[in-house]
Amino acid sequence: MPSLTRADAERRAQTLAVTAYAIDLDLTGGDDPEHPTFGSRSTVTFTAQPGASSFLDLRAVDVASITLNGAAVDPGTVADGRVELTGLAADNTVVVEATMGYSNDGQGLHRAIDPADGLAYVYGHLFLDAAPRVFACFDQPDLKAPYTLTVTAPQAWTVLGNGAATATGPGRWELATTQPLATYFVTICAGPYASVTDEHDGIPLGVHARASLAESLRAQAPAMLQVTKDAFDYYHQLFGIRYPFGSYHQVFVPEFNAGAMENPGCVTFRDTYLFRGAATDDELLTRANTICHEMAHMWFGDLVTMQWWDDLWLNESFAEYMAHRTLTAISGSDDAWVDSTMSRKAWGYAAERAPSTHPVAGSPAPDADAALQNFDGISYAKGAAVLRQLICHLGDEAFVAGITAYLTEHAYGNAALADFLGAMEAASGTDLTEWSKVWLTTAGVDTLAAAMGGDGLRVTRRAPEAVPAQRPHTLDVAGWSGGTQVLDADVVLDQDEVVVRADVAGSVGLLIPNAGDLTWAQVELDAASLTALPVELPRVSQAQHRAVVWVALTDGLATARVDPRLVVDIFVAASPLEENSSILSRSGALLTSRVLADYLADEEVPSARDAVAGAARARLESAPAGSSQALAAARILAAATRDVEQLQRWSGSVDLPAGLDGDPDFRWLVLRSLAGAGAVSAADLEAAREVDNSMQGNLGALAARSALPTAADKAWAWDQLVGDHGRSNHERNALASGFWTGRHTDLVREYVAAFHRDIPALEGRVGQDALARVATLAYPRSVVEEATITATDERLAVGDLSAAVRRCLIDQQSVLREVLASRRAFG
């Protein structure tokens, strides 16, 4: 079906305004295993220009009736997901009775069966344009309206949604009328959910999960609720605007595509945030950060919503920045910013290197499908970094005053870039025309370098040639030698080069531009610093400085400026002493999933794996038993080691590190490594799945089975991935993630052609959001050959790909080009 265009949305918004929605859903059916459905009755009231025409969005399995102002509209006229509405009055009511289809791709109203107990769960994810798959609506972000929902569900189910839910009879629920919401924020979560409830500052709170996760929910709820309470206090104090949406529920739902979704009053999270076994400090930090991120959306996105998708940064950049800021404030630790550097900034710089790079704001979004592609590391991580630079430019007091004015003026409505800039200029008295041009509406990332000379510290900025811009940077530069910080210089870089007179307490062994990670720029370490890293980095006591170095190494790998063998040497030297969980976990993932998996030549991998495993083993042995560092090290060791006997002992729960006995997710990591080595069979994996008969156990088994290095297992996995077997979005992702594991190029080369044929053909069976994820995971990046590049070029040339798949192919091909360039540069 065609995606809503901006032009159509603008015409519709000029024609009509929605006054209210009344939605009644019947969830008591859905038992058809092939095509489960539910009932939907939508009553939409709206005003319009008398005599005008417009259209209603509807994607139903079957339409029983449509009436407009009491007159019947032929259901047979519904075409391409639209109901044409003609002869509109000043005040209108349209009523649609329809049967809708549940999804299994994480979009619309998703229905999942928990294999642990056979119970069904339903949740709504109406982002980006999936609302018409649940109810008839005017589906665009600037036609906000209040919603009143009623739901009929099985009697054993709990129903949650944007408004407070009240059970009015057996299986019958009524939800309180909401404040005005955009269509994509509406949700219903229904099923036999386990719940923990609380209250804070007059706000009813709840956390909810599948019944089979009830024990984990009860154990982890106090920590999650405390973060929620502390964040509410911080946001109330900072903005001076109370949370406006009544109760606040956080629901951990199965098979969720994203990390979480900011539905007002009823936030949905992927349920892997409820840890079944041990969790590292950075995993707990990531969960807390996500909680703070979605809460920030209650103001940025929910209270004030972007006018159109080209301003999605007004939602995501602010939530990203506010989450890190809030978590730092309520925890009293800078770990959130360190984690942001290692995970979010690295993600964002990768997006900047990709051919699909785009500006933070004002990126072209002619239709909803095109807009979906820009929910990436630029809209999140770069946008947050740009806001930090704006604060450096204006001062924090003016920044907070500006956002408070912005939120107050546009409350319950919509806003655009110009509205935000106007509020900031009024609060600060500063003209932001040029600043916003170079930072917000111009794409590209600068490269920063530093060097010591006779005249002082020389800091240089190099803008990308394709999109030159004079971006000012506020940053710091640190110098280290022998474990002592010998240089700490603050720099305002408003031209291509500045020289700063800086006090240096001795010679500099390691020079780190942007050491505090205040700005958005790729860091280019000088040759002397790169050479010194194996000696100097383990002695750097500032975690933020170490994190910046690791991201610089990641960029250096991708741009063929840093030898992957040097990265191995640095990890071997630094990881046995690394205390920060984010740095240890993320640097370990860089080594195991990229350097060992892609960058190194085949003949160098065995010795490198031994070196990485040896370093992980050293950290495991030196860390306190059961600590976060020990857990991170054990995971790296399990992913890197060639010691099959040790992996087999661990898979049998023998000689496990402290804290990992009975940890099912660690066992699946071990089994996946054994599968990649061909040291287990499909029967072994099925036996393990029967022991762990859960959603996560099923996904672990699929990922491990697809990693088995036999022709028969690869054929089975590929058929399950692309065939019509009713696989869910997460099952396809698991199959795709394991398929290319290991250096088995000869075995999987034939699937390069299969990828380019079969993955695009999933369109129509899998929604665009889910398809983009599976296409990224399934891309044959491990077949590091020019023939793979050529195959992608040929598929792109056909010109029939959806926006999601086309972007995936272009960007993943670019990643493969990076690996090929590195191999050419370093042998």
Side-chain angles (χ1 to χ4, degrees), residues 337-354:
W337 288 115
V338 175
D339 188 71
S340 169
T341 300
M342 291 299 298
S343 59
R344 311 297 281 182
K345 295 289 278 289
W347 172 46
Y349 290 141
E352 283 277 41
R353 294 192 303 270

Side-chain angles (χ1 to χ4, degrees), residues 152-169:
T152 303
Q155 293 187 26
W157 284 19
T158 295
V159 172
L160 302 160
N162 305 100
T166 303
T168 59

Side-chain angles (χ1 to χ4, degrees), residues 195-445:
S195 302
V196 176
T197 59
D198 204 340
E199 183 272 341
H200 179 70
D201 194 16
I203 304 169
L205 305 177
V207 289
H208 315 267
R210 287 179 283 126
S212 63
L213 294 174
E215 184 178 348
S216 296
L217 178 73
R218 287 191 293 269
Q220 297 168 48
M224 295 187 291
L225 288 169
Q226 189 60 55
V227 171
T228 304
K229 296 173 184 179
D230 291 344
F232 265 132
D233 290 345
Y234 184 79
Y235 288 137
H236 286 159
Q237 178 273 326
L238 187 68
F239 303 143
I241 302 170
R242 281 190 60 81
Y243 168 68
F245 297 111
S247 57
Y248 192 75
H249 295 280
Q250 299 173 93
V251 190
F252 295 84
V253 299
E255 299 177 338
F256 198 65
N257 280 330
M261 179 64 197
E262 66 269 20
N263 313 303
C266 189
V267 178
T268 44
F269 295 79
R270 64 168 55 196
D271 58 14
T272 51
Y273 279 131
L274 284 179
F275 306 111
R276 303 194 304 160
T280 59
D281 289 345
D282 59 290
E283 288 176 319
L284 296 172
L285 185 66
T286 296
R287 183 177 68 188
N289 189 279
T290 304
I291 290 171
C292 293
H293 179 110
E294 303 311 322
M295 291 184 69
H297 272 310
M298 299 300 120
W299 289 266
F300 294 100
D302 296 4
L303 179 64
V304 180
T305 307
M306 61 201 167
Q307 194 81 25
W308 181 247
W309 300 107
D310 59 336
D311 273 325
L312 65 91
W313 79 283
L314 288 169
N315 293 12
E316 299 305 343
S317 299
F318 279 91
E320 181 87 0
Y321 166 74
M322 289 307 308
H324 303 318
R325 173 175 178 149
T326 301
L327 198 52
T328 299
I330 66 180
S331 68
S333 166
D334 290 333
D335 285 350
W337 288 115
V338 175
D339 188 71
S340 169
T341 300
M342 291 299 298
S343 59
R344 311 297 281 182
K345 295 289 278 289
W347 172 46
Y349 290 141
E352 283 277 41
R353 294 192 303 270
S356 60
T357 185
H358 57 86
V360 172
S363 184
D367 58 42
D369 279 351
L372 178 64
Q373 310 315 308
N374 288 336
F375 280 76
D376 58 16
I378 293 173
S379 298
Y380 286 73
K382 181 178 182 179
V386 169
L387 290 177
R388 293 189 85 182
Q389 283 295 290
L390 180 61
I391 292 170
C392 292
H393 190 62
L394 301 180
D396 192 64
E397 184 176 345
F399 174 77
V400 173
I403 59 175
T404 300
Y406 165 81
L407 292 171
T408 301
E409 181 177 355
H410 301 285
Y412 305 110
N414 299 83
L417 171 62
D419 301 309
F420 168 75
L421 292 176
M424 286 297 161
E425 289 179 337
S428 64
T430 301
D431 186 341
L432 293 174
T433 303
E434 184 59 26
W435 186 92
S436 64
K437 177 183 177 182
V438 297
W439 271 116
L440 292 175
T441 60
T442 302
V445 58

